[in-house]
């Protein structure tokens, strides 16, 4: 599938808006401005898992994952590197979080933050698509990348959009990566919808 | 569509039978459903709340943090999570103790069949108990962190204390041992004087050894012990250690067996540690063997692996003691009678671990022990570093050599002893009292070699070396660091700093001589005669048979030796020396054995002596 620079820019804008929505809620919660960098967006076919992994560049991570289905199938994950996760949890709970290994404070907090950001993004996407989508419940996992992301396609071709951005909360730099896995065709539909705007 | 309910289920009665709080809000925030569980938790009856606006009952939900996210649900958005960590009391549910339940909430969007408006389904889990346990766990963790920090602080304080203590003890030891060595080098001493100085020297060395053992184990515990590998001939070590123990065994009438190791074998490893391990293991074997034999052998397993064996027919170790004998400060009953710190085996074992080996042993009580280890020593290349034994009998600089030295130390006694020794070698010496003074003296005196202390007021040694190297480059003036700081003996670091050599205080005179020879390429005049103290430790049975001791003195010596009473023994040995000049040699032998805590050796000799009532 060929994607033009304009389309890529439009997806970037969509991600930017979506993450921005999530971040604005987050900034209400932490009662301080959450500054967001314009995300870097890349698209990989599911056949290029290695390319995707290189782009993600993390061996281990915290992840909030949510599936969606209905008129539009796929799943979306927010990956937060361990260091950023620690900073984020500390900023939100005023508690020093434990190391990875499913510390409940860390898991609960990150699940809610991931939920906010993902919801922001999905809100932007559905606004553009004007289609209703059903959602699964958000799930929190952490560990090695291969274990937390099911990137193996089940025979079907999928496209994976990855957007990397850095949030700045109270001068703390928190990095996050949003992965959206679209089943075949849906990305094209999204691009057409973007083109129609 | 999955999130659609049939209108017939509008009473949602099934949710009254689960142990989670469930309520439904219509788009205008009117409560449509309130389950039994929430009734129980909040005390608010469903009849009174259904049909009311939720903000009237719980105004905090009108806050943007909640409302903006719940609004998304009404727009068919994705589920919203209010975690127990960030929003624990979305619906306040009081507990008997006056606090509130901790809640974990998920809000999902759904709509009724035939209707397009979305409503919000709140599912609330009570995680109070769970959170309480997490909090307990976190508090425990915090306490542990505090305790850990406290213990680290204490350990650090211990290390600093040890370093300081070592510095404080080594400084006077430097003067004591330095002067005793200088005096022993003098030719015109009476035998009494020589004996007295020898006692000062050997007691000082013993004390230093004890301090070093305690420091060694502290260094190991602080992870600060490092390997200093050099090229050396394995045969040299085996021969040196064998020579040392052959005599000890002879004195105790033990058979000394040493495995053949004839060929020179150049290897690369930490020879100082290997030597100390072997001395420790064989020393123990000799110490704990009353009769029979002590065997030491080295077997070449392949090109780079060697099996070291020390086998004795001594008292052995009881099986219940065996698991503890490698622990620091552990001494079994028989060991504690023999004196020492109880650190030897622990140090040897840790040193072997550092070298990638393991100290192993088999032992049977009453039959004997075998201590052994396999050590990998790669083949050595290049030059072998010989120990400085050839510098034992130095008189002074050979003719035609001229050396100017600068001794930098803030403590007068330290300067005095080094200056006295260097002067005795006919070296020109000037002194400086700190780094700043050193810089001035360097400028006007232009020494060939600088002996630099590290810890000094005004300007420390490190700073002074940096200044010298900055001003004069890396090659003018040889710098030798002489420091008493035991925990900071990192040769590599000192070399990087710009020094050529490093010597720990208290120094041995041979070290200074060797250093002068190595750095300045000078030669010395040597004393051709064998030094008198070398022969005094040998005494043969025919010599013993000529001695006739008084019963009283014999008993005094015997009792003191049996009771390990060092002071009484020293007094008795002195009496022996005063009684008759012919006994000088015997008293020297006793003194040597006393310094080695070898009471059995003393008792053996006493057993062979004739004694009678005078």
């Amino acid at each position: 599938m060929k994607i033009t620079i304009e389309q890529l820019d439009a997806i970037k804008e969509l991600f930017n808006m979506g993450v921005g929505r999530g971040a604005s809620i987050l900034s209400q919660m932490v009662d301080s401005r959450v500054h967001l960098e314009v995300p870097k967006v890349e698209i990989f076919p599911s056949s290029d898992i290695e390319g995707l992994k290189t782009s993600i560049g993390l061996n281990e991570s915290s992840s909030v994952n949510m599936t969606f289905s209905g008129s539009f199938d796929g799943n979306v994950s927010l990956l937060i590197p361990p260091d950023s996760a620690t900073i984020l949890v500390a900023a939100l709970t005023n508690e020093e979080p434990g190391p990875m290994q499913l510390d409940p404070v860390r898991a609960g907090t990150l699940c809610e933050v991931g939920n906010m950001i993902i919801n922001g993004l999905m809100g932007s996407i559905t606004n553009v698509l004007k289609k209703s989508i059903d959602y699964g419940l958000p799930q929190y996992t952490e560990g090695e990348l291969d274990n937390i992301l099911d990137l193996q396609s089940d025979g079907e071709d999928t496209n994976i959009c990855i957007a990397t951005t850095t949030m700045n909360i109270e001068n703390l730099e928190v990095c996050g990566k949003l992965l959206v896995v679209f089943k075949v065709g849906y990305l094209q539909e999204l691009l057409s919808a973007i083109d129609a705007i | 569509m999955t999130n659609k309910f049939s209108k017939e289920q509008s009473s949602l009665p099934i949710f009254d039978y689960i142990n989670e709080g469930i309520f439904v809000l219509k788009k205008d925030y009117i409560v449509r459903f309130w389950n039994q569980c929430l009734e129980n938790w909040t005390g608010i009856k469903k009849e009174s709340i259904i049909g009311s606006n939720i903000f009237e009952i719980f105004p905090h939900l009108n806050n943007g943090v909640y409302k903006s996210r719940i609004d998304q649900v009404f727009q068919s958005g994705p589920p919203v999570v209010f975690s127990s960590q960030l929003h624990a009391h979305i619906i306040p549910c009081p507990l008997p103790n006056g606090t509130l339940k901790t809640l974990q909430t998920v809000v999902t969007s759904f709509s009724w069949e035939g209707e397009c408006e979305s409503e919000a389904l709140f599912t609330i889990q009570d995680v109070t108990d769970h959170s309480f346990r997490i909090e307990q766990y976190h508090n425990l963790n915090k306490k542990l962190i505090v305790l850990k920090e406290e213990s680290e602080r204490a350990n650090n304080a211990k290390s600093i204390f040890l370093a300081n203590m070592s510095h404080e003890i080594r400084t006077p030891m430097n003067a004591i041992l330095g002067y005793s060595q200088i005096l022993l080098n003098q030719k015109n001493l009476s035998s009494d004087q020589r004996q007295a100085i020898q006692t000062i020297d050997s007691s000082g060395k013993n004390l230093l050894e004890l301090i070093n053992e305690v420091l060694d184990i502290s260094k190991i515990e602080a992870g600060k012990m490092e390997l200093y590998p050099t090229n050396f001939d394995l045969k040299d070590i085996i021969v040196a250690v064998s020579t040392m123990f052959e005599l000890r065994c002879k004195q105790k009438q033990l058979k000394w067996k040493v495995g053949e190791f004839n060929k020179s074998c150049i290897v690369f490893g930490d020879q100082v540690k290997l030597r100390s391990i072997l001395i420790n293991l064989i020393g123990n074997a000799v110490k704990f063997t009353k009769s029979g034999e002590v065997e030491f052998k080295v077997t070449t397993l392949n090109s780079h692996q060697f099996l070291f064996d020390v086998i004795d027919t001594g008292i052995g170790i009881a099986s219940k003691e065996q698991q503890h004998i490698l622990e620091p400060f552990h001494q079994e009953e028989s060991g504690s009678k023999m004196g020492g710190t109880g650190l030897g085996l622990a140090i040897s074992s840790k040193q072997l671990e550092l070298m990638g080996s393991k100290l192993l042993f088999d032992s049977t009580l009453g039959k004997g022990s075998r201590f052994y280890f396999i050590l990998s020593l790669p083949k050595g290349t290049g030059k072998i570093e010989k120990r400085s034994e050839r510098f034992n009998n130095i008189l002074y600089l050979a003719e035609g050599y001229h050396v100017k030295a600068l001794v930098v130390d803030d403590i007068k006694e330290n300067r005095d002893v080094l200056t006295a020794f260097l002067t005795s070698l006919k070296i020109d010496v000037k002194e400086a009292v700190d780094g700043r003074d050193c810089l001035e003296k360097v400028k006007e005196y232009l020494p060939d070699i600088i002996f630099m202390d590290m810890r000094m007021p005004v300007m420390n040694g490190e700073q002074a070396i940096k200044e010298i190297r900055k001003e004069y480059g890396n090659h003018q003036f040889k710098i030798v660091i002489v420091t008493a700081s035991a925990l900071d003996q990192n040769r590599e670091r000192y070399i990087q700093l710009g020094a050529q050599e490093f010597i720990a205080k208290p120094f041995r005179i041979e070290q200074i001589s060797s250093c002068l020879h190595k750095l300045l390429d000078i030669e010395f005049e040597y004393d051709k005669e064998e030094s008198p103290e070398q022969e005094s430790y040998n005494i043969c049975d025919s010599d013993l048979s000529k001695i006739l001791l008084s019963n009283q003195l014999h008993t005094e010596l015997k009792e003191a030796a049996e009771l390990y009473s060092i002071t009484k023994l020293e007094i008795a040995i002195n009496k022996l020396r005063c009684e008759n000049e012919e006994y000088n040699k015997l008293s020297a032998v006793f003194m040597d054995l006393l310094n080695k805590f070898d009471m059995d050796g003393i008792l053996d000799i006493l057993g062979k002596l004739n004694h009678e009532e005078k």
Side-chain angles (χ1 to χ4, degrees):
Chain A
M1 188 179 62
K2 194 107 174 114
I3 296 168
T4 64
I5 294 172
E6 289 76 19
Q7 284 173 328
L8 201 62
D9 276 348
I11 291 181
K12 198 185 276 184
E13 181 60 24
L14 197 65
F15 270 87
N16 200 22
M17 267 163 45
V19 177
R21 275 168 67 153
S24 78
I25 298 170
L26 191 62
S27 74
Q28 281 181 0
M29 251 171 62
V30 294
D31 202 19
S32 102
R33 216 170 95 79
V34 175
H35 176 77
L36 204 70
E37 270 182 24
V38 176
K40 186 183 102 183
V41 174
E42 289 171 288
I43 294 170
F44 292 91
S46 60
S47 52
D48 187 16
I49 296 290
E50 285 311 312
L52 175 72
K53 278 203 217 168
T54 311
S55 172
I56 293 173
L58 294 172
N59 290 327
E60 53 175 23
S61 172
S62 293
S63 159
V64 181
N65 189 51
M66 190 174 74
T67 59
F68 51 89
S69 59
S71 52
F72 207 74
D73 281 9
N75 64 66
V76 53
S77 304
L78 173 70
L79 300 181
I80 304 174
D83 292 352
S84 287
T86 305
I87 296 170
L88 195 57
V89 174
L92 288 167
T93 61
N94 295 322
E95 273 201 57
E96 199 57 43
M100 297 239 291
Q101 281 169 3
L102 287 168
D103 170 53
V105 174
R106 185 185 182 103
T109 312
L110 292 175
C111 186
E112 182 167 347
V113 172
N115 174 244
M116 276 186 261
I117 306 287
I118 286 174
N119 288 8
L121 177 68
M122 292 317 288
S124 293
I125 291 176
T126 47
N127 272 353
V128 171
L129 283 171
K130 308 229 179 317
K131 282 198 173 161
S132 70
I133 297 177
D134 293 327
Y135 301 96
L137 290 173
Q139 302 287 338
Y140 176 83
T141 48
E142 62 186 27
E144 284 181 26
L145 199 63
D146 287 338
N147 296 334
I148 57 174
L149 280 187
D150 183 16
L151 294 172
Q152 301 302 319
S153 64
D154 46 1
E156 284 187 84
D157 278 344
T158 53
N159 287 302
I160 300 161
C161 265
I162 166 168
T164 307
T165 185
T166 303
M167 287 189 289
N168 198 310
I169 309 170
E170 292 176 13
N171 301 321
L172 300 170
E173 282 214 343
V174 176
C175 176
K177 287 168 197 285
L178 261 170
L179 260 74
V180 188
V181 183
F182 295 102
K183 290 246 167 91
V184 69
Y186 292 121
L187 182 63
Q188 190 57 54
E189 203 173 321
L190 183 65
L191 291 173
S192 313
I194 290 170
D195 286 342
I197 297 171
Chain B
M1 301 292 275
T2 46
N3 298 349
K4 279 263 179 197
F5 289 128
S6 149
K7 203 77 180 180
E8 284 126 46
Q9 294 173 317
S10 64
S11 63
L12 304 167
I14 199 164
F15 291 143
D16 280 329
Y17 296 96
I18 60 172
N19 198 24
E20 285 195 4
I22 307 275
F23 72 99
V24 175
L25 289 184
K26 293 199 274 189
K27 202 169 185 173
D28 49 7
Y29 285 86
I30 300 295
V31 181
R32 178 194 281 282
F33 178 75
W34 189 258
N35 80 341
Q36 188 61 46
C37 181
L38 274 179
E39 225 184 81
N40 300 342
W41 284 356
T42 58
I44 301 170
K45 296 277 177 210
K46 51 176 86 169
E47 303 84 67
S48 67
I49 196 168
I50 289 175
S52 312
N53 187 306
I54 195 92
F55 298 147
E56 286 169 15
I57 300 131
F58 304 115
H60 66 278
L61 292 178
N62 204 2
N63 184 306
V65 175
Y66 292 107
K67 191 167 178 297
S68 58
R69 295 174 69 190
I70 298 169
D71 281 345
Q72 288 182 357
V73 176
F74 288 129
Q75 288 154 17
S76 307
V80 171
V81 176
F82 292 107
S83 65
S84 58
Q85 283 74 30
L86 303 179
H87 301 99
H89 313 301
I90 189 163
I91 298 294
C93 303
L95 286 164
N97 66 2
T99 61
L100 296 173
K101 274 188 192 296
T102 307
L103 306 172
Q104 167 92 14
T105 307
V106 180
V107 190
T108 44
S109 170
F110 78 100
S111 57
W112 303 102
E113 261 178 12
E115 286 183 15
C116 56
E117 283 221 331
S118 291
E119 297 190 356
L121 170 68
F122 287 70
T123 313
I124 307 170
Q125 258 184 301
D126 176 5
V127 292
T128 312
D129 191 41
H130 189 57
S131 305
F132 177 68
R133 283 176 205 283
I134 293 168
E135 207 182 314
Q136 271 187 325
Y137 167 78
H138 273 260
N139 287 342
L140 193 67
N141 249 358
K142 277 181 199 158
K143 271 187 205 156
L144 282 177
I145 289 167
V146 171
L147 284 176
K148 189 170 161 257
E149 283 169 354
E150 274 173 12
S151 102
E152 276 169 2
R153 261 200 305 276
N155 201 29
N156 200 22
K158 185 187 85 176
S159 299
I160 292 167
F161 169 76
L162 275 171
N164 287 337
M165 186 194 78
S166 134
H167 187 260
E168 295 308 312
I169 296 176
R170 278 158 182 261
T171 301
M173 290 299 290
N174 195 39
I176 295 169
L177 289 178
Y179 276 120
S180 66
Q181 289 176 86
I182 291 170
L183 289 173
L184 281 174
N185 273 358
Q186 291 188 2
K187 301 255 93 188
N188 52 353
L189 292 177
S190 75
S191 67
D192 274 2
Q193 284 169 329
R194 181 169 298 281
Q195 188 66 47
I197 299 163
Q198 249 165 20
T199 308
I200 294 172
D201 190 53
S202 57
S203 306
K205 279 178 185 156
N206 274 334
L207 177 57
L208 190 64
E209 213 164 284
L210 287 176
I211 297 164
N212 284 345
E213 277 195 357
V214 175
L215 279 168
D216 270 353
I217 204 79
S218 316
K219 265 204 238 177
I220 289 168
E221 284 180 348
K224 284 193 175 167
M225 180 163 276
E226 289 169 20
L227 291 176
Y228 298 109
T230 52
N231 291 308
F232 66 97
D233 191 340
L234 193 54
K235 190 185 149 207
D236 285 350
I237 286 204
I238 295 168
V239 169
V241 171
S242 300
T243 316
M244 187 184 296
F245 286 100
E246 197 175 358
L247 184 63
R248 295 260 289 269
C249 282
K250 205 170 154 193
Q251 284 166 349
K252 283 192 78 173
Q253 290 193 317
L254 297 174
K255 191 175 167 202
W256 169 247
K257 274 170 77 177
V258 58
E260 278 194 17
F261 198 92
N262 297 329
K263 272 193 216 154
S264 161
C265 177
I266 312 295
V267 292
F268 184 69
D270 191 328
Q271 62 164 323
V272 176
K273 289 196 179 63
L274 176 60
R275 186 186 285 254
S276 89
I277 292 163
L278 292 174
I279 290 175
N280 186 277
L281 294 181
I282 305 171
N284 277 347
V286 175
K287 187 157 119 182
F288 293 110
T289 304
K290 286 198 176 107
S291 62
E293 60 177 45
V294 172
E295 184 181 359
F296 168 48
K297 59 179 179 183
V298 182
T299 318
T300 309
L301 300 178
N302 55 43
S303 63
H304 64 283
Q305 283 192 308
F306 302 89
L307 168 67
F308 294 78
D309 258 306
V310 178
I311 306 162
D312 65 54
T313 56
I315 56 173
I317 305 153
S319 49
K320 69 174 168 49
E321 296 274 2
Q322 291 189 3
Q323 56 180 315
H324 299 297
I325 61 158
L326 299 183
E327 291 167 9
F329 303 103
H330 178 88
Q331 270 190 323
E332 58 172 321
E333 221 181 308
S334 46
S336 55
K337 274 193 212 150
M338 297 286 193
T341 54
L343 290 173
L345 276 181
I347 293 170
S348 294
S349 163
K350 295 281 181 191
Q351 283 176 329
L352 279 171
E353 274 176 33
L354 200 64
M355 295 192 223
S357 175
K358 191 173 173 14
L359 180 59
L360 303 165
F361 64 91
D362 310 314
S363 184
T364 313
L365 193 63
K367 294 223 165 137
S369 307
R370 172 191 178 212
F371 281 80
Y372 56 105
F373 58 91
I374 294 171
L375 193 58
S376 285
L377 291 167
K379 259 196 169 38
T381 46
K383 231 171 83 182
I384 302 175
E385 281 194 25
K386 287 255 185 192
R387 280 167 65 92
S388 51
E389 272 138 14
R390 59 170 286 209
F391 298 103
N392 278 345
N393 298 321
I394 282 178
L395 288 174
Y396 34 74
L397 281 182
E399 245 186 66
Y401 289 100
H402 183 76
V403 174
K404 289 198 287 181
L406 179 63
V407 173
V408 189
D409 202 311
D410 58 320
I411 294 168
K412 184 179 175 294
E413 289 78 5
N414 282 340
R415 291 196 307 271
D416 286 353
V417 67
L418 190 49
T419 301
F421 173 62
L422 292 170
T423 311
S424 78
L425 294 179
K426 299 189 175 169
I427 288 175
D428 287 344
V429 188
K430 279 216 181 336
E431 295 180 356
V433 296
D434 57 49
R436 174 74 49 212
D437 190 22
C438 162
L439 294 181
E440 281 165 22
K441 296 272 162 64
V442 163
K443 201 188 244 170
E444 62 195 46
Y445 179 56
L446 297 172
D448 301 302
I449 189 162
I450 303 166
F451 291 93
M452 181 81 80
D453 183 30
M454 282 280 106
R455 285 198 204 180
M456 288 180 290
V458 188
M459 182 190 277
N460 65 25
E462 186 168 340
Q463 196 58 37
I465 294 173
K466 279 185 188 156
E467 294 285 329
I468 290 171
R469 290 304 175 218
K470 205 165 95 189
E471 175 93 23
Y472 302 95
N474 283 336
H475 302 294
Q476 201 175 352
F477 318 125
K478 304 292 179 195
I479 300 181
V480 181
I481 289 172
V482 187
T483 178
S485 170
L487 287 179
D488 193 18
Q489 298 189 349
N490 187 336
R491 186 181 296 267
E492 288 301 310
R493 198 173 75 79
Y494 290 137
I495 301 297
Q496 272 173 11
L497 204 62
Q500 273 74 28
E501 197 50 78
F502 155 83
I503 293 173
K505 278 184 212 164
F507 54 79
R508 293 196 319 276
I509 278 179
E510 313 89 80
Q511 288 177 304
I512 303 285
S513 318
S514 150
C515 193
L516 286 165
H517 168 75
K518 195 169 123 190
L519 298 181
L520 301 175
D521 201 19
I522 49 167
E523 287 301 335
F524 296 103
E525 295 287 338
Y526 292 89
D527 186 1
K528 302 286 185 305
E529 292 170 36
E530 201 185 354
S531 54
E533 70 264 34
Q534 295 281 314
E535 54 176 3
S536 63
Y537 297 147
N538 286 311
I539 194 154
C540 55
D541 286 359
S542 60
D543 285 338
L544 294 176
S545 63
K546 291 177 202 156
I547 293 170
L548 188 65
L549 272 189
S550 73
N551 248 351
Q552 193 196 345
L553 190 53
H554 188 271
T555 313
E556 249 176 71
L557 284 164
K558 191 163 173 260
E559 278 180 2
E562 277 170 349
L563 295 169
Y564 281 81
S565 173
I566 306 298
T567 321
K568 278 189 185 159
L569 198 51
E570 270 177 352
I571 295 169
I573 295 171
N574 271 327
K575 272 191 197 166
L576 175 71
R577 194 173 22 232
C578 299
E579 203 160 89
N580 190 332
E581 262 204 16
E582 281 171 25
Y583 297 164
N584 270 352
K585 198 168 169 183
L586 177 63
S587 54
V589 172
F590 278 159
M591 216 54 197
D592 180 48
L593 291 169
L594 168 66
N595 288 332
K596 292 170 187 159
F597 292 102
D598 189 354
M599 300 302 157
D600 288 344
I602 295 175
L603 291 170
D604 279 350
I605 295 175
L606 285 171
K608 287 180 213 158
L609 282 177
N610 301 315
H611 54 97
E612 62 168 29
E613 199 79 51
K614 277 197 174 172

